[in-house]
Amino acid sequence: MTQAAFPRTARLLQASQFKAVFAQGSKKVCPGFVIIFAPGGSDRARLGLALAKRRIARSVDRSRVKRVLRESFRHHQHSLGPVDVVVLARSGTAQMSKADLSGQLALAWSHVARSGATLRNDRSRPVGAEPR
């Protein structure tokens, strides 16, 4: 069994890393999240969280959503490959149950894994262009 840790090397920490994902990334929209992903600058999947107070007003709710996100990422990171992912919250995310959030994330991670492989194999394609 692979280790499901979330070390510092699996996180996007600097503003420049987030900007690179926003500039080069593809987007997957779910009812609770917007997931932006781009080919990674590392040999592993890395996660960045951007949960705005405007979307999730109460800090206890933001913390709960972050815990669910990190837990889901830890269990799926090895299937994603070297991709950088930024997760944005949408309005209404705070009212969703853990099961709903986890289900949405499982579907999103499978989409990222499929699309991430396409992005890695087709780096010559201009950003924003449709895959072949």
Side-chain angles (χ1 to χ4, degrees):
M1 182 174 171
T2 59
Q3 184 180 6
F6 190 55
R8 198 168 169 83
T9 57
R11 304 176 201 166
L12 296 178
L13 299 171
Q14 300 174 348
S16 61
Q17 295 169 331
F18 280 83
K19 287 179 184 175
V21 175
F22 286 125
Q24 301 173 10
S26 298
K27 189 186 311 185
K28 167 70 174 158
V29 178
C30 303
F33 304 102
V34 175
I35 298 177
I36 303 170
F37 56 97
S42 174
D43 61 338
R44 65 181 306 156
R46 298 187 302 175
L47 176 67
L49 302 176
L51 305 182
K53 188 175 182 181
R54 179 178 167 197
R55 300 287 179 216
I56 304 175
R58 293 178 21 179
S59 64
V60 67
D61 292 330
R62 281 194 306 278
S63 296
R64 181 181 65 87
V65 171
K66 286 179 186 180
R67 279 194 304 274
V68 172
L69 276 162
R70 286 191 300 261
E71 178 185 356
S72 180
F73 179 79
R74 281 187 319 104
H75 291 292
H76 291 89
Q77 67 184 334
H78 300 291
S79 65
L80 299 178
V83 65
D84 290 345
V85 180
V86 174
V87 180
L88 307 168
R90 297 184 74 192
S91 297
T93 303
Q95 289 76 32
M96 295 180 173
S97 69
K98 180 180 177 183
D100 290 340
L101 295 172
S102 297
Q104 284 183 29
L105 289 168
L107 292 174
W109 298 139
S110 65
H111 175 82
V112 170
R114 287 191 313 271
S115 299
T118 303
L119 290 174
R120 286 188 302 278
N121 292 335
D122 196 11
R123 287 184 185 228
S124 61
R125 167 174 70 85
V127 174
E130 289 297 317
R132 295 179 201 146

